[in-house]
Amino acid sequence: MLYVPGGTFRMDSDRHCPEEAPAHRVTVDGFWIDRTPVTNRQFRKFVNATGYVTPRGGPELRSCQPNLRISRKVLKGGSHLCAPNYCRRYRPAARHAEPIDTSASHLGFRCITRKRITS
């Protein structure tokens, strides 16, 4: 894992999509983050070891597209499929709706901890 020192930064944006506003200052403590995203194999091993159940947890959000009847949740940040020359959702401030019945193979995540883990 790599250490990311704490600090204050400007989160979100007032200049792009309305759902990203308002931009505001946020202060975070330092943390340790995985060097690489969690792989499908690693996640499967975690699920098998813990019995964790995923895609349906948390509250559902209303769709900003009223003609679509599929419940959606918000994803924050870019995607492995986006590129800055054609996708405005590539930026870290970006938010977009994702149907809850769809697996998102173009996204990843990394684990963090506040305490150093030694192996």
Side-chain angles (χ1 to χ4, degrees):
M1 297 185 100
L2 300 171
Y3 185 73
V4 177
T8 301
F9 68 99
R10 200 166 152 84
M11 184 172 167
D12 294 325
S13 173
D14 291 323
R15 292 191 241 158
H16 293 280
C17 300
E19 67 270 20
E20 297 171 11
H24 57 286
R25 292 171 58 85
V26 175
T27 300
V28 296
D29 294 332
F31 59 91
W32 294 88
I33 187 168
D34 283 345
R35 290 177 181 263
T36 60
V38 173
T39 65
N40 288 336
R41 180 174 292 161
Q42 290 168 323
F43 189 68
R44 181 175 52 239
K45 184 177 176 183
F46 165 77
V47 169
N48 290 340
T50 64
Y52 182 81
V53 176
T54 58
R56 303 256 180 212
E60 294 179 3
L61 299 172
R62 290 184 183 211
S63 173
C64 61
Q65 300 168 322
N67 295 336
L68 296 177
R69 299 197 183 272
I70 300 170
S71 296
R72 297 169 186 270
K73 298 215 176 162
V74 172
L75 296 178
K76 182 153 172 54
S79 130
H80 299 300
L81 298 178
C82 288
N85 63 337
Y86 73 89
C87 182
R88 291 182 62 191
R89 299 296 187 182
Y90 181 73
R91 300 166 304 94
R95 290 187 182 120
H96 58 281
E98 181 77 15
I100 63 170
D101 66 345
T102 303
S103 63
S105 62
H106 59 100
L107 300 170
F109 70 94
R110 296 174 193 227
C111 296
I112 71 160
T113 183
R114 302 280 180 201
K115 297 180 181 177
R116 184 173 188 157
I117 297 175
T118 56
S119 45

